[in-house]
Each structure stands twice: as C-alpha cells, then as structure tokens.
Amino acid sequence: MISLTINGEPRQFAKPLNCSDLLQELKLGGKRVAIERNGEIVPRSRFPEQALADGDKLEIVVAVGGG
C-alpha cells in the first residue's frame, strides 16, 4: 500500500507506482499533464522512471485547449 497526496487529496494505491503508472490509474494516460512531486517539476521524459514514495505530495495539472 502506498499513500500519496494528489492535489491536496489523500489517496491510497495497492502497489508502488511511477508517474506513468499513476497517470494510468487516474485515467489521465495520453493527456497533456504536468506533475510536481514534493515541490519539484518532474520532466515528462522521466515519468516512466520516476518512482513515487509513500507520503509524496503531488500536484497534477491537465492542459486544456481551447480558444
């Protein structure tokens, strides 16, 4: 079990995750997102390798297009 705080909301997951796994769990896979982990931006190229640790605080922003 891993506990994360995502956009201020506590969440629990059954297994360890990386950023890419988390986006799939949150049904955000394929969307344009930015992730901040414990106050630092995670480069998109590092999503697959960036492991998340119990207690991490994340801010996830989804880009919205329009005009």
Side-chain angles (χ1 to χ4, degrees):
M1 186 71 70
I2 183 172
S3 297
L4 304 171
T5 301
I6 302 171
N7 295 348
E9 298 289 325
R11 300 279 305 261
Q12 293 191 340
F13 299 90
K15 60 181 178 157
L17 303 168
N18 62 37
C19 287
S20 292
D21 296 335
L22 178 63
L23 293 178
Q24 292 301 321
E25 289 279 330
L26 298 176
K27 307 225 182 321
L28 295 174
K31 296 196 177 190
R32 294 176 51 190
V33 299
I35 299 177
E36 181 184 275
R37 177 181 172 249
N38 301 325
E40 294 193 21
I41 297 292
V42 177
R44 186 170 189 76
S45 63
R46 296 207 43 217
F47 284 5
E49 63 194 53
Q50 180 63 67
L52 300 174
D54 193 51
D56 277 351
K57 293 182 184 272
L58 304 163
E59 293 294 325
I60 300 176
V61 179
V62 179
V64 178

